[in-house]
Amino acid sequence: MSAHSQTMRTPVRMQKRRQQYPLSIMGGHSAPHNAYCLFLMVNITLFLRPAELIPALANLPIYEVLILSSFFLSLDQIKRTLQVPMLKRQPITLCVIGILVAVVLSHASHMYLYGIRTSSIAFFKTLIYYILLVSVIDSPQRLKGLLKTVAITSSVMILLCVIDYSGLHDFEFIKHVSDRDGVSDAGDAIRVFRMRGTGIFQDPNDLSVLIVTTSILCLYFFNDPTASPLRFLWILGLIVLGIGLLYTRSRGGLLTLGIAGMVFVLPKYGKNAAILFALVGMAAVTVLAGRQGNIDLNSGTGQDRILLWREGLMALKSPDLFFGIGQGLYSDLAGLAAHNSYVHAFTELGLFGGTLYIGCFFFAGLGLYRLARFQCSNKGKPIFRNQELERYLPYAAAILAAWCGGMMSLSRCYVVPTYMIVGVSAAFLNLAAASLAKPTPVIYWNKQHLIRLTGVSFGMFIAFFVFVRFFAH
């Protein structure tokens, strides 16, 4: 009897020992399952817009009801996320909240009260999404579920766009665009027909970055050793996404793909393999991509965008340097958006808001870099107790790099997809920090990191000025 009782007590002791480690570095109780399910539905509506698929639902606030329901069910977890000690453990969240402050100050510095109200409300909706993501995604299983939801729904949306662009079926809610692409030798405007997405992805360049990000997720799930034979369906998804990327005719999309590939290859195979990947990719682009492979900064859309950057940066040679010209006013200044999220943020929010915007990606990249470096120094041995987090690390780095690269040709400083990427990175770092042999925050808000962030932000600001000075004609 004593031997039997001893064997019964041993698993209990092991279970208690395992439970000493929280799933997330943020600690506390897990968010309700209903809140998590509702949040997944929120993300489904972002890609598969019910109001566009079914016109009868056009006047129903489906997204708002779902996100507010999930938000109120997760109030305890949200309160914990917003506590000062937790904000120091996750400086990405502190930067995102700071952007809301920067949005208000960008208009308050000009005494533009209407702008304060409209801009702050608009970004507050995005902030709610981000806070909900980092509060609800508090386990590796939930992170994987969110990633799978995003991968499937975005793939379906892109499939519909490919079908419509190919002429196989005409969806009324999908409208593609004919863009001007320079001038011929005869002086005639050159037009190119480009595929657009639905909802918030109606810019072909925006859609191309989403395609690259979704492709990384499809590859992640295809390589899942625990998946069923149905995982080969992800290959079909990759084929559709590849066709869609070509249909967008986006140069920025191909550059984004190259950046993501190099970052994915670098930690696993070394810098020589990354350089080889870049060279092979450049050769393939030149041969296969047509317009997308013709990247020219001296004419066409490349030069047009550099001129837009110059308009914004020149506006900061004024009292607007610190707080910017005001959120949402770049188009009034230059006629169009900057087509560069970093320049856009610097111009509209000044050095204060631009630094916080860069901080979202700086802290995410710093955390992933430290984990990847630790992984390399461990000589192939696992650094996480959770194997799925270990497997996702290179994909997380590639997704973040793809989005950072895509922001060089897009103005997406305030929209939900950008903060989805930032939020997923923050949630992964929270889980990864708790899964280390010695649970500890990977990044932290302190004086040393603040100095580094300021240096990186100032360096990027000067680099854009120098770049525009040399290439704007």
Side-chain angles (χ1 to χ4, degrees), residues 207-226:
L207 182 62
S208 70
V209 177
L210 175 66
I211 289 174
V212 173
T213 303
T214 306
S215 299
I216 299 170
L217 290 176
C218 289
L219 187 62
Y220 166 67
F221 287 110
F222 172 71
N223 289 327
D224 188 355
T226 64

Side-chain angles (χ1 to χ4, degrees), residues 326-387:
Q327 191 274 331
L329 299 180
Y330 199 107
S331 297
D332 295 340
L333 170 73
L336 292 171
H339 289 83
N340 183 314
S341 293
Y342 311 108
V343 172
H344 202 106
F346 276 129
T347 302
E348 291 192 346
L349 306 180
L351 290 177
F352 176 70
T355 298
L356 290 171
Y357 180 74
I358 290 173
C360 297
F361 302 98
F362 167 77
F363 283 112
L366 179 63
L368 294 175
Y369 169 76
R370 286 176 173 173
L371 291 174
R373 189 174 179 181
F374 184 29
Q375 193 178 54
C376 291
S377 64
N378 217 34
K379 298 179 180 179
K381 298 179 181 178
I383 63 173
F384 301 129
R385 291 191 304 275
N386 185 282
Q387 295 181 357

